[in-house]
Amino acid sequence: MSLLTVRGLRAGYGPVEVLDGLDLDVDAGEVVVVLGANGAGKTTTLRALSGMIPTHGTITLDGTDVAGRRPEDLVRLGVAHVPQGRGTFGELDVVENLRVGGFTRPAAEVAEDIERWLEMFPRLGERRHQSAGSMSGGEQQMLAIARALMSRPRLLLLDEPSLGLAPLVTQDVFDRISGINRELGTAVLVVEQNANLALAVANRGYVLETGRIVASGTATELAADDTVRRAYLGV
Amino acid sequence: MQRVFDGLAAGAVYAILALAIVVIFRASGLLNFAQGELAMFTTFIAWTLLDAGIPWWAATLLAMVIGFVIGAVLYRLLIVRLGGPSGNPLAIVIVTIGLFLILNDGAGIIWGSNPAKVPRVFGDGRVEILGAGIAVQVIGLLGVLAVLVIGFGLLFQRTKLGLALRAVTANQESAALAGVKVMTTLMIGWGLAAGIGALAGTFTASQNLGVDANMMQVALIYAFAAATLGGFDSPLGAVVGGLIIGLVSELVVGYVDIIGPDLRLLPGFVLVLVVLLVRPQGLFGSARVARA
């Protein structure tokens, strides 16, 4: 059974409708990518899924209807969202950022997970008591992902992790995402413009254009698709 | 030495009020101009309770609890509707100024405009230290300040509530995504600030030996100066800033002839200006570092 089932999702900001009846699925343990250009509705999709904006349509998480739930409740149900621009707490240091990430978990688990992620991301381990705002974009992205993982999610939502990062750093971020998925079995829904990297780590993907899904398939199928190649792979 | 003690006495009152300002700033990221009037209003409540024969510490505690409730309710009913910290800051400033006027006039209507007498909570005793007299009241007040600074330090740095308050102030959206209940956290923050304001008001009244509707205004100017001097996000800074402002005002007025009592406000503010030129974040404030 699929972990996340979305049917006829519509959402927007005030009178402006951005998503125009979206259907998508994420199975447990899967990496799914949503490709789309600027303004296609990628960020809105994730904001709708984590309850940050009002929605119409059905959102089912592991059989439970979760449409209309607030972000703070969805975290407790196992959805973690790394927003665009990373959303770290600039004035808090690395460890404090992680503690906020573990807000919904018991204290003993939080302490254990902090050590685990600081070991997994050595760059963060070296900067335990440095404020997040003073770190580089790549470090902040790692911190944002570690922060999200602190809630021990079943589904990780990532909003353009490559944004503003150098190619090598982006590669590293995607390697991490892939590793986390393999080791923890966390399902990942990532929205991206960088189709090359995203399709390399994803099992399946969707193509989003002006609020609608216009193509879907396995990562291999999408990478071979002419329209996708022209629009998103630049070949 | 006598002037030092007098300065500390005045400074302690600014310090406790500055602490209230810092708490609300850290707990909500907002400056609440009605803070002082809220403190005055709850002080009148404490005085009413005192007048009814309740001992001062119980009256103060009750007023703090009532202040907490008023602060939380104000946040829930008023500030949330204006969008909270992510809303239009100007609208919130104007609303808090409106609250200022309502509370000020409201207190005048309910309790009259004549100052009501308040006793010193720690009694009228004085002790001799280094050849100068210091009121037991001042020592008591400094003790309360020390407890509050340590208490708030622990609250912000060591507790889950403190972490939630700081996370919400730093990034409300991310805090919600991490599972922090943003509205509840901010309600508690506003409640805490109003509660500590009630305490500050009670001590100000007890220092002035009276409570009246305008009692917080001059004190609040000093308190803002103290909070700015110490750094808006540091409880310790607020207290140190308050004591410094009190001391400097007292000493300069006492020893520099051309600055008489009419210019009491001046030295403190010159000091604030100088400190801010050198250290814009204040003495104990943390500089905001952000890399693009």
Side-chain angles (χ1 to χ4, degrees):
Chain A
M1 196 178 83
S2 83
L3 177 61
L4 177 77
T5 312
V6 179
R7 291 291 174 268
L9 181 67
R10 287 188 295 123
Y13 305 92
V16 185
E17 187 143 287
V18 179
L19 301 182
D20 186 17
L22 203 86
D23 297 341
L24 66 83
D25 298 86
V26 180
D27 286 341
E30 207 181 17
V31 179
V32 175
V33 60
V34 175
L35 298 173
N38 276 336
K42 300 189 301 293
T43 296
T44 308
T45 304
L46 294 194
R47 290 173 68 90
L49 292 180
S50 64
M52 294 164 79
I53 50 173
T55 58
H56 296 281
T58 60
I59 306 172
T60 319
L61 184 73
D62 213 6
T64 318
D65 175 25
V66 295
R69 299 279 188 108
R70 290 158 176 268
E72 50 263 49
D73 300 328
L74 283 163
V75 184
R76 290 170 172 80
L77 294 170
V79 180
H81 182 168
V82 180
Q84 196 171 44
R86 331 200 204 289
T88 48
F89 302 98
E91 285 125 74
L92 273 55
D93 68 25
V94 168
V95 170
E96 288 169 336
N97 266 274
L98 296 179
R99 278 172 60 210
V100 178
F103 202 76
T104 57
R105 314 299 304 185
E109 210 177 84
V110 170
E112 185 186 312
D113 281 5
I114 287 177
E115 291 316 314
R116 173 189 193 176
W117 297 123
L118 290 184
E119 204 171 301
M120 178 93 101
F121 298 102
R123 305 270 290 170
L124 300 181
E126 292 159 18
R127 289 166 172 71
R128 279 167 182 266
H129 297 295
Q130 189 175 328
S131 75
S134 67
M135 302 200 308
S136 75
E139 288 158 2
Q140 287 196 39
Q141 186 65 61
M142 299 292 189
L143 178 59
I145 293 172
R147 195 272 297 153
L149 290 169
M150 285 296 297
S151 67
R152 298 201 174 177
R154 288 187 287 173
L155 174 64
L156 182 63
L157 307 177
L158 296 171
D159 195 341
E160 286 208 53
S162 73
L163 197 75
L165 299 185
L168 270 177
V169 181
T170 310
Q171 180 68 56
D172 189 24
V173 168
F174 273 94
D175 289 346
R176 301 292 186 153
I177 294 168
S178 181
I180 288 155
N181 167 260
R182 250 181 291 117
E183 283 165 41
L184 303 176
T186 313
V188 180
L189 178 63
V190 53
V191 305
E192 255 302 340
Q193 291 199 60
N194 190 329
N196 264 322
L197 275 171
L199 285 174
V201 304
N203 303 105
R204 289 189 305 114
Y206 296 90
V207 178
L208 186 66
E209 261 171 33
T210 56
R212 288 165 180 273
I213 299 288
V214 294
S216 68
T218 65
T220 331
E221 283 164 10
L222 286 178
D225 184 275
D226 275 347
T227 336
V228 174
R229 287 167 66 87
R230 261 195 304 280
Y232 302 102
L233 296 172
V235 282
Chain B
M1 205 60 204
Q2 190 60 53
R3 289 194 196 281
V4 170
F5 288 153
D6 290 346
L8 282 180
V13 170
Y14 310 148
I16 198 164
L17 204 53
L19 193 60
I21 292 173
V22 166
V23 169
I24 199 165
F25 183 70
R26 284 204 49 175
S28 69
L30 288 173
L31 289 180
N32 178 358
F33 282 94
Q35 184 90 47
E37 298 312 281
L38 203 54
M40 173 276 295
F41 202 84
T42 42
T43 305
F44 264 113
I45 294 174
W47 172 76
T48 307
L49 294 169
L50 202 64
D51 211 40
I54 294 172
W56 70 267
W57 56 268
T60 305
L61 275 180
L62 268 173
M64 286 174 73
V65 172
I66 294 168
F68 183 94
V69 174
I70 294 178
V73 167
L74 273 181
Y75 175 77
R76 183 65 190 83
L77 293 184
L78 222 56
I79 309 299
V80 167
R81 285 174 197 267
L82 296 168
S86 54
N88 178 355
L90 264 180
I92 294 171
V93 166
I94 297 296
V95 164
T96 62
I97 291 174
L99 270 176
F100 174 102
L101 294 172
I102 292 170
L103 289 169
N104 188 287
D105 291 343
I109 292 166
I110 300 172
W111 288 288
S113 48
N114 290 326
K117 278 203 169 306
V118 175
R120 295 195 194 277
V121 293
F122 293 103
D124 289 321
R126 294 177 80 80
V127 289
E128 290 276 319
I129 296 175
L130 302 171
I134 182 165
V136 173
Q137 169 84 5
V138 173
I139 297 174
L141 200 48
L142 291 174
V144 170
L145 276 174
V147 171
L148 286 175
V149 167
I150 294 169
F152 276 108
L154 290 176
L155 172 74
F156 281 121
Q157 300 300 333
R158 293 270 179 273
T159 68
K160 210 169 170 182
L161 173 63
L163 186 67
L165 286 168
R166 292 166 63 210
V168 166
T169 321
N171 190 333
Q172 213 176 326
E173 199 167 77
S174 290
L177 288 176
V180 178
K181 296 199 160 101
V182 173
M183 187 157 358
T184 316
T185 305
L186 285 175
M187 271 177 72
I188 294 173
W190 275 65
L192 273 179
I196 181 99
L199 186 65
T202 316
F203 280 114
T204 310
S206 145
Q207 191 71 22
N208 299 346
L209 296 176
V211 48
D212 74 277
N214 296 322
M215 68 177 214
M216 296 313 275
Q217 285 161 17
V218 174
L220 199 68
I221 293 175
Y222 280 108
F224 265 108
T228 313
L229 181 64
F232 260 106
D233 58 357
S234 162
L236 177 65
V239 169
V240 173
L243 294 177
I244 292 178
I245 298 261
L247 275 176
V248 168
S249 301
E250 192 64 36
L251 293 178
V252 173
V253 170
Y255 290 111
V256 182
D257 288 339
I258 51 163
I259 300 176
D262 290 344
L263 291 176
R264 279 191 69 87
L265 278 171
L266 187 67
F269 281 89
V270 170
L271 182 69
V272 170
L273 189 67
V274 171
V275 168
L276 290 187
L277 283 174
V278 183
R279 255 183 88 81
Q281 70 270 36
L283 291 174
F284 292 85
S286 44
R288 292 190 181 206
V289 196
R291 266 160 70 162

